[in-house]
């Protein structure tokens, strides 16, 4: 199975000036665990995850003052849609992260998460086997 088969095609993009609260609201509304942070001035791209927001709030920082740009991971590993799920899992394991931005020639086309990979690899549960005689 390939990354294109598992990835979410809902790609939330935000700017570095978004506050963490704004980012969290947008992520919650779209039910995603990460946002692609695009800086139009420098053409830089990074990723902001729910863990980044949780870490900031957990250390007492104000989510209405902290910006996405301050908490964005910029040394991002990108996946290609044609990568195998094994390649994506290896990159995540090696890098210690749970999301990969999926890129093609035009830009971000999806995000693949550990959850996406597990969903594809886990066998479908057979509910009949849980029924008692």
């Amino acid at each position: 199975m390939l990354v294109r088969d598992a990835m979410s095609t809902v790609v939330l993009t935000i700017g570095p000036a978004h506050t963490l609260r704004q980012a969290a609201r947008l992520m919650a509304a779209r039910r995603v665990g990460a946002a692609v942070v695009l800086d139009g001035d420098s053409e830089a791209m990074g990723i902001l995850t729910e863990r980044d927001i949780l870490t900031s709030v957990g250390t007492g920082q104000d989510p209405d003052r902290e910006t996405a740009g301050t908490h964005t991971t910029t040394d991002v590993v990108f996946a290609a849609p044609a990568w195998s799920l094994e390649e994506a899992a290896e990159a995540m394991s090696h890098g210690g992260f749970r999301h990969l931005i999926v890129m093609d020639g035009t830009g971000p086309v999806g995000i693949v998460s550990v959850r996406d990979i597990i969903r594809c690899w886990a066998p479908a549960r057979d509910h009949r086997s849980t029924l008692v005689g």
Side-chain angles (χ1 to χ4, degrees), residues 43-89:
E43 297 184 20
M45 183 183 308
I47 190 166
L48 178 74
T49 67
E50 56 198 358
R51 182 179 288 176
D52 297 324
I53 296 169
L54 183 64
T55 298
S56 174
V57 172
T59 60
Q61 295 177 332
D62 183 351
D64 292 313
R65 292 186 183 265
E66 293 297 314
T67 63
T70 306
H71 297 278
T72 297
T73 300
T74 55
D75 57 341
V76 179
V77 175
F78 298 101
W83 276 18
S84 69
L85 293 185
E86 289 81 4
E87 289 173 297

Side-chain angles (χ1 to χ4, degrees), residues 105-128:
T106 64
V109 294
I111 293 184
V112 65
S113 69
V114 169
R115 181 177 294 171
D116 296 327
I117 293 171
I118 290 171
R119 186 175 8 90
C120 290
W121 283 349
R125 185 173 179 182
D126 183 355
H127 294 289
R128 292 172 294 172

Side-chain angles (χ1 to χ4, degrees), residues 84-106:
S84 69
L85 293 185
E86 289 81 4
E87 289 173 297
E90 174 70 25
M92 289 177 185
S93 177
H94 181 73
F97 40 81
R98 299 181 299 164
H99 298 86
L100 291 172
I101 299 172
V102 183
M103 299 283 289
D104 72 4
T106 64

